[in-house]
Structure formats: C-alpha cells, structure tokens
Amino acid sequence: MNSRLAWGFLDLWFTFNANFTAGAHQFYKEYGGPRHTHTRVIQAITGHGFVGAYYHLFLPDLPSSCPCGTSDIQFRLHILSECPLYEEHRHLLLAASQDLSPSAILRTHKGLTALAKFIDASNAFGKS
C-alpha cells in the first residue's frame, strides 16, 4: 500500500473516530471568531465539507483531486500537512504540533485554535 493511500485511510479513521475531547469542548465554549471559520473547523474535524475526499465519496460527479495537482484525491491530511497551496500558512499549524499530528490538530484546544487561524489565513476547506 502506498503511503498516500495509507494516510488517506488514517485520515478517514480519524474522521469516524473523532470524539469531542476536553480540549475540543473548551475550544467550542470559548471560540468567538467568525461563524464561517467555526463551520469549517467542524467540517475539517468530521471530514464533511469542501474537500476532495468528501466529493469522492458523496459527490462523485465533482472533481476530487487537489487543485495543486499533487494529489489524485484531496484528503484533509494533504491540506494540513503537504499541499503546496497552503505552505505559506502551515506555520500556524506547526505552532500547535511540530509533526502536524491530526489528533493534536483536530482534537486539542491548542490544535483547534491553530486550525481556526490557519483556515482564516488560508481559506482552507472553503469551496473553490
């Protein structure tokens, strides 16, 4: 199995097993930023949003590849850790997790706060 496919399966595993931790609960209680950013944070956690993997599963008539041209299916992990379109803003995520761990970014207060900043700065997980 190639590593991209393995990461894709890992990404799906986190989607279906992401429960709200104490850090996530704290983030949602305290978040006061724009509603559209909050919505995209939730979509990033659940995997149900404007990302190729979602289109591939639920809207197969729409393109599921990443606009950067380096990934046949645009997975959430690709956006967070390797997509060149978001490189300029990835430092915001690295402040929360030096190895860009999906569980650290998507399940902790520090990670979700960094994710919200990343989304605001980069327009990640937005409809193109």
Side-chain angles (χ1 to χ4, degrees):
M1 178 182 306
N2 71 36
S3 65
R4 187 176 310 253
L5 187 58
W7 278 113
F9 283 118
L10 182 61
D11 189 46
L12 288 173
W13 185 89
F14 276 111
T15 296
F16 293 113
N17 291 288
N19 55 6
F20 291 106
T21 62
H25 180 72
Q26 181 184 2
F27 171 79
Y28 290 110
K29 280 179 58 177
E30 296 174 0
Y31 185 73
R35 189 166 74 178
H36 69 273
T37 301
H38 189 242
T39 300
R40 287 193 214 164
V41 168
I42 292 169
Q43 290 172 346
I45 291 169
T46 63
H48 290 268
F50 304 118
V51 65
Y54 178 84
Y55 294 149
H56 184 74
L57 291 172
F58 299 107
L59 302 166
D61 293 339
L62 294 177
S64 58
S65 62
C66 185
C68 74
T70 65
S71 182
D72 292 336
I73 298 177
Q74 181 192 45
F75 287 103
R76 173 179 56 188
L77 189 61
H78 171 74
I79 293 170
L80 296 175
S81 64
E82 62 190 39
C83 182
L85 298 176
Y86 302 102
E87 186 64 36
E88 176 184 353
H89 306 289
R90 196 157 289 121
H91 68 279
L92 298 166
L93 297 173
L94 288 166
S97 174
Q98 284 300 305
D99 62 353
L100 297 171
S101 162
S103 61
I105 293 169
L106 299 170
R107 300 179 76 190
T108 67
H109 183 266
K110 185 176 181 179
L112 291 168
T113 301
L115 179 60
K117 291 176 184 176
F118 174 76
I119 288 170
D120 271 341
S122 68
N123 198 34
F125 302 103
K127 189 163 185 157
S128 10

